[in-house]
Amino acid sequence: MSARPARLLLLSVVAATAVATCGGVGASPPGDASPSVDTSGAAGSPPASGAAADITVSAVDYRFEGMPATVESGTVLGLRNDGQELHEMAVYRRNDDVTQSFEDILALPPDEGIKLVTEAGVVFAAPGEEAADTVTVTEPGDYVMLCFVPVGMKELPSQDPNASPGGTPPADGPPHFTQGMIHTFTVEG
């Protein structure tokens, strides 16, 4: 996935997240091939919840720490942002019939790549904070955890219609996953 489509996808997810949660950080918008976001959860996957995390992953600029290579089905993942920028933990499962690597999938146009994975959940955390929600990985298989937030973004854009214009514009850097903020793991049944 190139930096521009990733930014557009992130901004649409951020906007839908903020609207769905009244501007709160830590919502769980599911991935969708279209720019709009269905907040009901990905097919076959539960939406993120506020369940207590079995593993709290630390997001730093630009990597995930504390996430093992293998976890059990039903593991609840939390996100703590120990970095200086806004981070997300977007978790996707490679569909059973897919043979492409996650690297190959990310290189595809977004509308093609999203068909090859199933979203487990997405949560955001501002610097120094924990995401309000968690992601539960339920299906055995191969997963990827990554951050689409552009380099330099420190906070979610305001979705308050009464906010004064101007605010902090979104960063225009490459997505964090292109800087190394990507982690593959396996969920065992």
Side-chain angles (χ1 to χ4, degrees):
M1 183 177 299
S2 70
R4 181 159 172 74
R7 280 194 303 274
L8 294 175
L9 177 62
L10 170 73
L11 292 177
S12 67
V13 168
V14 167
T17 298
V19 169
T21 63
C22 302
V25 172
S28 173
D32 187 345
S34 67
S36 63
V37 177
D38 169 12
T39 59
S40 65
S45 297
S49 66
D54 298 316
I55 298 171
T56 299
V57 177
S58 173
V60 295
D61 308 327
Y62 301 102
R63 65 187 182 279
F64 293 109
E65 295 180 345
M67 182 63 194
T70 304
V71 299
E72 291 296 316
S73 176
T75 299
V76 179
L77 304 174
L79 178 67
R80 182 182 60 249
N81 187 341
D82 293 321
Q84 300 299 310
E85 297 185 20
L86 176 72
H87 289 297
E88 75 175 321
M89 180 177 70
V91 181
Y92 296 90
R93 180 183 176 275
R94 182 173 37 216
N95 294 339
D96 290 332
D97 58 341
V98 174
T99 58
Q100 292 99 321
S101 69
F102 284 115
E103 181 178 286
D104 291 341
I105 293 170
L106 285 167
L108 294 171
D111 60 334
E112 291 178 33
I114 201 71
K115 295 175 185 175
L116 304 178
V117 296
T118 300
E119 183 181 294
V122 179
V123 296
F124 292 88
E129 296 183 7
E130 282 198 28
D133 290 326
T134 55
V135 175
T136 303
V137 289
T138 58
E139 295 292 321
D142 295 323
Y143 285 73
V144 65
M145 170 185 297
L146 60 161
C147 183
F148 288 103
V149 172
V151 169
M153 185 174 242
K154 304 233 183 239
E155 60 189 20
L156 286 171
S158 173
Q159 296 299 309
D160 181 354
N162 299 319
S164 61
T168 305
D172 196 29
H176 289 174
F177 80 86
T178 65
Q179 308 302 303
M181 198 162 189
I182 184 169
H183 178 80
T184 57
F185 64 101
T186 301
V187 173
E188 295 180 341

